[in-house]
């Protein structure tokens, strides 16, 4: 099948899955994996294979850069201790703990012979990096605390690079016959540190050019060059391309975008990268589903379950130890958040590509491939599908459910009553009923509007975050209407191109400041206002 036809099919499937996932209220990436599994099982078509070249040349640089570009550096810096502790020393401890649990279990249950601690380290290192795309999207949709999302996403950005570097060091040690702590530390600092420096250098160069020009297309192209150029350049010098993309992304998103881009350009660049991330994620999670063969995994169910338990136990050990150490600092987090951080450690395409890249004669390669694919599938399906119930059970989301449900009910009543009033007005214009009947209907619906509006005002006074979100949504809607009106005026020749640019820049600046405005701290829960007597009587 031609490559261009495969491209169309993959994105058609991804679009259908996105619509179905929204309807079924499933995490999009989980739905993509399920679709890939189903299509791969029936052999609907032969997709491109998830190779290291595809992942490292096309997918990974774009995904890493996009996540770093949109990560607020100030918020990242506030959580710097927890993020770095989890992503660097924590990941190394998790690798050691996973291997320490897996190897004795493998030998005791006798599903493999000759499985040494070094083999366990190889598996632990290649499975170590987390890919929480599904749960971060879920955090946003459910209204989870932004600080929690920053912790999870920030850790993932750094531990991708840490995991790849540690994996490479362990493989080199096996090939060379040994490893020393000193040389491993030096290698890690060299590969990860120099990779980050390459990214910073490329990001600074791109940012400097962006600050000295004002052309949206050129500036967008420069961010593409920074993303893929930093990755390729770092890999060319045998240092971490992942860390380079992180450094370039954070500089372009937090320095170039805020100081060098006009508001219109910034909106265009952010929209482009959001779409590119959607497209790349669609491809990679579909291909994960295609690569997995359920029959092979079922035959290896015991090693897969043991491996998943070892991975989760190692992660839990690190997360809860780091949480305990942070309790006396400004970065302390609730223990319930620690549970979510443990459960959000999904694994993804990077682990699969690393294990497929092992030499064909590598000891226990088939077992390592099956365990890796099985753990990736378990994490995406089991952890991804249960994250929302876990967040609700721990009361991390839905804390304001009483007020929110009351608010949504009154909003619904207000909209319904407003629609009723509009219909009465239409009937009056068309003389569809006698005036006496319509007067009575109009009075009844106006009372309903006034009652719902009174309850909403009361909730606004008691819940600052509800009022803030409603005001922001209303302002966003009005600004979008302004933007549409300006574009229509330009199409009709009412305003020229220079005037249009000025108008759009002003509107986009207000949109950007609206999105960047901090939300107020949640107010204490208060009893929901009692319904008016008239409604209680059936008015």
């Amino acid at each position: 099948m031609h490559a261009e036809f495969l491209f169309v099919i993959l994105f058609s499937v991804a679009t259908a899955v996105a619509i179905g996932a929204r309807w079924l209220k499933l995490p999009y990436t989980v739905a993509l994996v399920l679709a890939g599994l189903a299509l791969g099982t029936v052999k609907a078509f032969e997709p491109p294979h998830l190779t290291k070249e595809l992942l490292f040349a096309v997918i990974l640089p774009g995904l890493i850069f996009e996540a770093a570009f949109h990560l607020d550096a100030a918020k990242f810096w506030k959580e710097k201790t927890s993020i770095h502790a989890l992503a660097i020393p924590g990941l190394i401890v998790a690798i050691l703990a996973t291997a320490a649990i897996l190897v004795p279990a493998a030998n005791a249950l006798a599903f493999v012979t000759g499985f040494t601690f070094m083999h366990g380290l190889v598996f632990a290192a290649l499975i170590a990096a987390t890919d929480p795309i599904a749960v971060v999207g879920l955090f946003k949709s459910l209204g989870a605390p932004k600080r929690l999302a920053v912790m999870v996403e920030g850790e993932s950005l750094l531990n991708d690079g840490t995991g790849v570097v540690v994996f490479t060091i362990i493989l080199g040690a096996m090939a060379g016959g040994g490893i020393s702590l000193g040389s491993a530390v030096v290698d890690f600092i060299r590969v990860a540190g120099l990779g980050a420096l390459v990214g910073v250098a490329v990001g600074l160069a791109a940012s400097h050019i962006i600050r000295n020009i004002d052309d949206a297309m050129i500036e967008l192209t420069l961010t593409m060059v920074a993303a893929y150029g930093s990755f390729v350049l770092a890999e060319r010098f045998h240092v971490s391309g992942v860390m380079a993309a992180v450094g370039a992304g954070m500089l372009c998103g937090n320095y170039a975008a805020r100081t060098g881009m006009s508001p219109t350009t910034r909106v265009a660049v952010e929209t482009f990268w959001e779409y590119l991330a959607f497209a790349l994620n669609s491809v990679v999670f579909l291909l994960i589903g295609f690569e997995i063969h359920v029959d092979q995994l079922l035959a290896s169910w015991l090693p897969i379950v043991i491996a998943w338990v070892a991975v989760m136990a190692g992660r839990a050990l690190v997360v809860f130890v780091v949480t305990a150490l942070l309790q006396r600092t400004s970065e302390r987090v609730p223990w319930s958040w620690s549970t979510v951080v443990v459960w959000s450690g999904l694994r993804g395409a990077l682990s699969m590509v690393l294990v497929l890249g092992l030499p064909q004669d590598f000891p226990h390669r088939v077992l390592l491939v099956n365990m890796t694919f099985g753990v990736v599938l378990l994490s995406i399906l089991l952890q991804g599908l249960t994250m929302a119930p876990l967040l609700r059970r721990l009361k991390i989301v839905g804390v304001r459910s009483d007020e929110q449900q009351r608010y949504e009910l009154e909003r619904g009543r207000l909209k319904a009553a407003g629609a009723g009033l509009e219909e009465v007005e239409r009937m009056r214009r068309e003389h569809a009923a006698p005036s006496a009947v319509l007067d009575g209907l109009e009075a009844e619906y106006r009372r309903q509007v006034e009652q719902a509006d009174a309850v909403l005002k009361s909730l606004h006074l008691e819940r600052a975050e509800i009022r803030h979100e409603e005001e922001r949504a209303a302002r966003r809607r009005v600004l979008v209407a302004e933007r549409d009106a300006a574009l229509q005026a330009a199409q009709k020749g009412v305003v020229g191109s220079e005037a249009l640019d000025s108008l759009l820049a002003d509107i986009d600046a207000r949109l950007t400041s609206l999105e960047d405005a901090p939300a107020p701290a949640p107010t204490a829960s208060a009893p929901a206002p009692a319904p008016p007597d008239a409604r209680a009587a059936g008015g």
Side-chain angles (χ1 to χ4, degrees):
M1 190 178 291
H2 294 294
E4 59 271 21
F5 191 53
L6 278 175
F7 176 83
V8 173
I9 290 177
L10 284 174
F11 278 95
S12 299
V13 171
T15 303
V17 170
I19 295 170
R22 180 182 291 270
W23 182 60
L24 295 171
K25 296 184 178 179
L26 281 175
Y28 174 57
T29 50
V30 174
L32 283 169
V33 173
L34 289 173
L37 278 171
L39 292 171
T41 301
V42 301
K43 301 188 186 306
F45 58 92
E46 185 64 29
H49 289 289
L50 191 59
T51 62
K52 183 176 181 180
E53 289 73 22
L54 176 62
L55 188 76
F56 276 61
V58 178
I59 295 172
L60 200 58
L63 288 179
I64 294 290
F65 183 90
E66 186 274 338
F69 185 90
H70 285 102
L71 190 64
D72 191 315
K75 293 176 181 176
F76 178 88
W77 189 249
K78 285 182 180 178
E79 310 302 326
K80 60 185 180 300
T81 306
S82 57
I83 289 173
H84 285 87
L86 289 171
I88 301 176
L91 191 81
I92 295 170
V93 172
I95 290 171
L96 295 171
T98 300
I101 296 168
L102 177 63
V103 173
N107 291 314
L109 294 172
F111 59 71
V112 63
T113 57
F115 195 76
T116 67
F117 189 69
M118 289 302 292
H119 298 131
L121 284 177
V122 169
F123 171 77
L126 65 87
I127 203 71
T130 58
D131 188 1
I133 293 165
V135 298
V136 170
L138 202 61
F139 287 171
K140 294 176 182 176
S141 65
L142 293 176
K146 291 184 179 179
R147 184 184 169 204
L148 176 60
V150 168
M151 284 178 60
V152 171
E153 196 165 10
E155 180 209 354
S156 173
L157 273 175
L158 296 185
N159 71 21
D160 278 352
T162 305
V164 172
V165 172
V166 173
F167 175 73
T168 305
I169 291 172
I170 292 172
L171 279 186
M174 289 188 71
I179 185 172
S180 68
L181 180 61
S183 63
V185 170
V186 170
D187 282 347
F188 177 81
I189 293 174
R190 178 184 64 82
V191 175
L194 290 179
L197 284 177
V198 169
V200 169
V202 173
L204 280 174
S207 299
H208 179 72
I209 299 172
I210 287 171
R211 291 192 68 185
N212 287 281
I213 60 172
D214 186 17
D215 187 305
M217 293 300 101
I218 294 176
E219 293 173 66
L220 194 156
T221 304
L222 281 167
T223 62
M224 285 282 289
V225 171
Y228 288 88
S230 61
F231 194 97
V232 170
L233 190 62
E235 292 289 322
R236 187 65 177 249
F237 286 109
H238 305 290
V239 295
S240 175
V242 174
M243 298 302 293
V246 170
M250 291 194 73
L251 262 172
C252 288
N254 290 275
Y255 176 59
R258 298 186 181 184
T259 64
M261 294 181 185
S262 68
T264 303
T265 299
R266 183 177 170 187
V267 170
V269 171
E270 288 179 349
T271 302
F272 168 79
W273 279 105
E274 285 173 4
Y275 170 72
L276 187 63
F278 168 80
L280 295 176
N281 277 315
S282 299
V283 171
V284 75
F285 279 95
L286 265 179
L287 295 184
I288 285 175
F290 276 109
E291 291 287 345
I292 292 172
H293 301 288
V294 178
D295 53 343
Q296 294 180 13
L297 299 189
L298 290 175
S300 303
W301 70 269
L302 181 59
I304 289 170
V305 171
I306 297 299
W308 180 78
V309 170
V311 168
M312 294 304 295
R315 179 164 178 81
L317 170 68
V318 168
V319 170
F320 283 109
V321 167
V322 169
T323 302
L325 294 174
L326 292 175
Q327 289 307 301
R328 295 184 179 277
T329 71
S330 60
E331 292 185 31
R332 60 185 177 276
V333 297
W335 289 101
S336 59
W337 286 22
S338 302
T339 304
V340 172
V341 172
V342 172
W343 204 244
S344 66
L346 280 64
R347 270 59 180 181
L350 181 59
S351 298
M352 295 173 65
V353 168
L354 290 178
V355 76
L356 289 173
L358 291 174
Q360 292 294 326
D361 59 349
F362 193 85
H364 310 297
R365 185 181 187 276
V366 174
L367 175 66
L368 292 173
V369 169
N370 287 336
M371 288 196 304
T372 302
F373 279 36
V375 170
V376 169
L377 185 62
L378 265 180
S379 72
I380 292 174
L381 297 185
L382 178 60
Q383 294 165 235
L385 289 173
T386 56
M387 180 56 68
L390 178 65
L391 287 167
R392 294 191 182 100
R393 183 65 181 270
L394 295 174
K395 297 183 178 179
I396 294 174
V397 299
V399 176
R400 54 190 176 108
S401 58
D402 291 342
E403 290 84 356
Q404 189 64 35
Q405 288 177 14
R406 178 71 170 164
Y407 188 80
E408 290 172 2
L409 175 64
E410 298 303 330
R411 279 292 306 276
R413 281 178 171 154
L414 184 62
K415 288 182 73 68
L421 273 176
E422 289 178 5
E423 183 62 19
V424 170
E425 290 298 323
R426 188 183 68 79
M427 292 172 68
R428 194 184 295 281
R429 289 194 303 271
E430 296 175 359
H431 304 287
S435 295
V437 173
L438 295 177
D439 288 343
L441 282 173
E442 183 177 5
E444 178 183 338
Y445 278 101
R446 287 200 183 281
R447 281 197 304 272
Q448 291 184 25
V449 168
E450 290 169 2
Q451 290 163 2
D453 199 44
V455 176
L456 289 173
K457 285 180 179 178
S458 177
L459 283 168
H460 277 175
L461 291 173
E462 294 172 0
R463 302 291 298 189
E465 65 272 23
I466 290 178
R467 183 177 67 254
H468 172 81
E469 192 56 40
E470 278 295 307
E471 183 178 348
R472 186 159 67 172
R475 287 184 179 277
R476 187 186 300 114
R477 183 170 173 176
V478 171
L479 286 169
V480 170
E482 281 190 43
R483 204 174 196 282
D484 290 342
L487 290 170
Q488 289 174 13
Q491 289 172 357
K492 294 176 181 178
V494 177
V495 298
S497 59
E498 291 185 5
L500 176 65
D501 289 343
S502 179
L503 284 170
L504 293 180
D506 175 62
I507 294 168
D508 288 340
R510 285 184 282 160
L511 272 170
T512 301
S513 64
L514 184 67
E515 297 300 331
D516 291 343
T523 54
S525 296
D533 294 338
R535 181 175 298 146

